[in-house]
Amino acid sequence: MRAIGWLAAFAAVTPLLNHGSVAAQTAFGLKGGVTWADAAFVDQFTSEALLRKAGGGFVTLPLSERGTVQLEALYLERGFSTSGLHRDGSRTRMSYLDFPVLLRFRLTPAPARVRPILLGGAYWGHEVGCRLEGGVAQFEESNSCEGRFQLRGVADVGLIAGAALEVTAAEAWFVTVEARYHYGVRNLHWDPASDGAQARNLSAMAGFGVRVGG
């Protein structure tokens, strides 16, 4: 919830940025889409990606003529098939609130209507839900993440790389489409003796935003 407070604070100071071309780069928006989620494991068994949901809001603030920083609050679903590990055909489905901080570099001049953008950064995520589906009857606490992953952690940290395309729609409004890859660097189990599950998400999202100032 602290990150939501940060977003509110940035919204409060936005009027102070309403001057010149720099202010025109300040933007707010919403986006959503799908993500293909799986995990990397120490023993490198083959996992199957699950199609999940992603979405949330963002605020973009200028750093330079072509560089910006983007703060996001996203609901991102993670997960993986454990059929290769336990051979029971079960699926682990996790839900997180992610708070990415991204550096973005625009490849075209500011007046361009179509703006390709490269992005990269990091995220911190907090688990808000977890459940098991499929063949989990052999476990004492069927369909329970607590039953299978008793030492799992509720936090995830990782890196992000991707690209976006912003297209001016009308006046200050724009639409955005993007593809990005999230790679978790923290062991989701928090257990040195575990399989070392590290979350991986390949996401495709679309949304809209509005530039303020200028």
Side-chain angles (χ1 to χ4, degrees), residues 118-135:
L118 299 179
L119 59 90
Y123 71 87
W124 177 84
H126 181 80
E127 182 193 299
V128 294
C130 182
R131 70 181 189 276
L132 302 185
E133 295 179 349

Side-chain angles (χ1 to χ4, degrees), residues 113-186:
R113 181 172 180 270
V114 179
R115 301 180 175 190
I117 296 169
L118 299 179
L119 59 90
Y123 71 87
W124 177 84
H126 181 80
E127 182 193 299
V128 294
C130 182
R131 70 181 189 276
L132 302 185
E133 295 179 349
V136 293
Q138 61 180 296
F139 297 95
E140 293 182 1
E141 298 182 37
S142 180
N143 292 317
S144 168
C145 286
E146 284 70 22
R148 177 176 292 185
F149 305 130
Q150 296 181 12
L151 298 179
R152 81 182 192 282
V154 296
D156 185 29
V157 178
L159 303 175
I160 300 174
L165 195 66
E166 290 184 357
V167 181
T168 299
E171 296 183 355
W173 292 89
F174 64 91
V175 295
T176 177
V177 294
E178 68 176 55
R180 59 165 68 177
Y181 182 72
H182 293 215
Y183 185 81
V185 297
R186 187 164 203 166

